[in-house]
Amino acid sequence: MQQKKVVVIGSGLGGLSTGVILAKNGYQVTVLEQGQQIGGCLQCFSRYGAKYETGMHFIGSVVPGQTLRKLMNYLELTADVPLSFLDQSGYDVVALQGEQFRFANGREPFIETMSSYFPRQRDTLARYFDLVSRVAGALRSTH
Ligand SMILES: Cc1cc2nc3c(=O)[nH]c(=O)nc-3n(C[C@H](O)[C@H](O)[C@H](O)COP(=O)(O)OP(=O)(O)OC[C@H]3O[C@@H](n4cnc5c(N)ncnc54)[C@H](O)[C@@H]3O)c2cc1C
């Protein structure tokens, strides 16, 4: 039987992942990219021995069982991409007007750390975290 042909426009994380998923399901896929190189926001460059990312610099949801880990397994990337934990007390740090805001890993550390910067927002931060967890949980249960 002749393979169905699909054109995916854009070679970012979304386009490349979609292309692989379609190819694994029997489609003949062509990914078109308007830029000079593939990857979209997944770009990095080196200057004087230092490496810089211009977009994505870490990924979440890759503990076994979590959503992105399942996608990595399906795309057969897990063995090729070494993973390690970032600083749990500040996996991301936003520096703004001389102040630093640390994003701590996990519900309680996140709420505690953020509340130390924004004490009046403690309840809102808890609601925000719980809402994000609910959305992520809903995504997990669809796989
Ligand atoms: C500065 C920055 C930091 C980030 N940091 C993180 C991070 O640390 N962790 C994380 O998880 N996420 C991070 N993100 C988000 C993450 O990079 C993006 O969500 C993800 O890469 C988006 O992938 P995408 O395929 O949807 O889009 P894109 O990566 O934007 O890819 C779209 C591609 O489509 C191409 N395209 C568009 N229109 C056409 C057309 N008409 N014809 C041909 N090609 C076309 C574009 O040139 C591009 O290559 C960051 C994003 C930015 C900008």
Side-chain angles (χ1 to χ4, degrees):
M1 199 174 76
Q2 211 190 353
Q3 276 186 311
K4 283 195 177 157
K5 294 179 181 170
V6 180
V7 174
V8 177
I9 307 210
S11 73
L13 183 62
L16 291 177
S17 303
T18 304
V20 176
I21 291 167
L22 290 168
K24 279 165 90 66
N25 283 280
Y27 292 86
Q28 188 181 321
V29 182
T30 303
V31 179
L32 299 180
E33 172 53 52
Q34 66 183 356
Q36 300 282 331
Q37 52 187 20
I38 62 165
C41 291
L42 308 175
Q43 305 294 340
C44 60
F45 65 93
S46 297
R47 286 287 182 282
Y48 307 110
K51 206 168 167 187
Y52 300 88
E53 299 98 357
T54 57
M56 188 179 277
H57 55 287
F58 66 82
I59 51 175
S61 184
V62 284
V63 170
Q66 292 186 328
T67 306
L68 199 53
R69 182 57 164 262
K70 287 183 185 169
L71 180 63
M72 285 179 68
N73 290 344
Y74 185 75
L75 299 176
E76 298 172 52
L77 290 172
T78 315
D80 296 328
V81 181
L83 296 169
S84 53
F85 281 104
L86 293 164
D87 182 349
Q88 302 282 288
S89 71
Y91 63 86
D92 219 358
V93 181
V94 173
L96 200 61
Q97 294 176 339
E99 274 191 87
Q100 289 200 341
F101 302 90
R102 301 179 70 82
F103 288 64
N105 202 31
R107 185 182 189 282
E108 300 315 324
F110 176 84
I111 294 168
E112 275 312 308
T113 312
M114 280 294 159
S115 299
S116 70
Y117 311 129
F118 307 103
R120 288 191 305 164
Q121 301 299 333
R122 180 179 285 273
D123 290 345
T124 310
L125 287 162
R127 281 205 304 280
Y128 163 76
F129 196 99
D130 292 342
L131 180 61
V132 171
S133 299
R134 273 217 311 281
V135 172
L139 282 174
R140 268 198 293 280
S141 63
T142 62
H143 290 112

